[in-house]
Amino acid sequence: MDRQNVGSAQSGRLRVEVRTVGASEILTPVGELDHHTADLLRAPLDEALDAGRSRLVVDCSRLDFCDSTGLNVLLGARLKADAAGGGVHLTGMRPVVARVFEITGADVVFTVHDSLAAALPAE
């Protein structure tokens, strides 16, 4: 069963939209992901994993900024998702966000897709 906008968390600079499509939990952070807002993404990632949804797609197309704390949230989710037999797929990386992943080498530990459609498995 597909759900549209199941929930959101927000704090001035970051909002996270969450929906389920098939076997994928899609999380769309909107705004700035940093030390002050990281828990707003961590919480829905953990909730999805706790509910048994281990195929996580993070649509970064509306993410304006990501610092090392945000990167660590995604890395932590990747470890948990991998352990549960799933994974974290990133899509729609803007150049400023992609650069953080390139500089740190994190781009090689995630599955990165050009578009949301490419990140979703064919059904």
Side-chain angles (χ1 to χ4, degrees):
M1 177 168 116
D2 293 351
R3 293 180 284 169
Q4 289 303 316
N5 195 18
V6 205
S8 65
Q10 61 184 15
S11 165
R13 295 180 319 167
L14 184 73
R15 182 178 78 248
V16 179
E17 299 170 358
V18 180
R19 63 190 171 116
T20 303
V21 175
S24 300
E25 189 79 352
I26 302 171
L27 300 100
T28 305
V30 180
E32 299 176 4
L33 178 59
D34 61 24
H35 171 74
H36 300 288
T37 61
D39 284 338
L40 295 170
L41 180 58
R42 182 181 289 114
L45 286 167
D46 287 346
E47 288 170 13
L49 291 163
D50 290 346
R53 293 184 303 277
S54 61
R55 188 177 196 291
L56 307 174
V57 176
V58 181
D59 179 1
C60 300
S61 64
R62 295 169 60 196
L63 189 59
D64 298 323
F65 175 80
C66 180
D67 73 358
S68 61
T69 305
L71 179 61
N72 283 328
V73 167
L74 293 169
L75 288 167
R78 185 189 71 83
L79 290 174
K80 292 176 187 175
D82 286 353
V88 174
H89 300 259
L90 305 178
T91 182
M93 301 276 280
R94 291 179 171 183
V96 69
V97 174
R99 184 76 178 126
V100 173
F101 284 77
E102 291 167 11
I103 289 169
T104 61
D107 58 336
V108 299
V109 299
F110 287 98
T111 303
V112 180
H113 304 272
D114 292 332
S115 68
L116 181 57
L120 297 174
E123 296 192 23

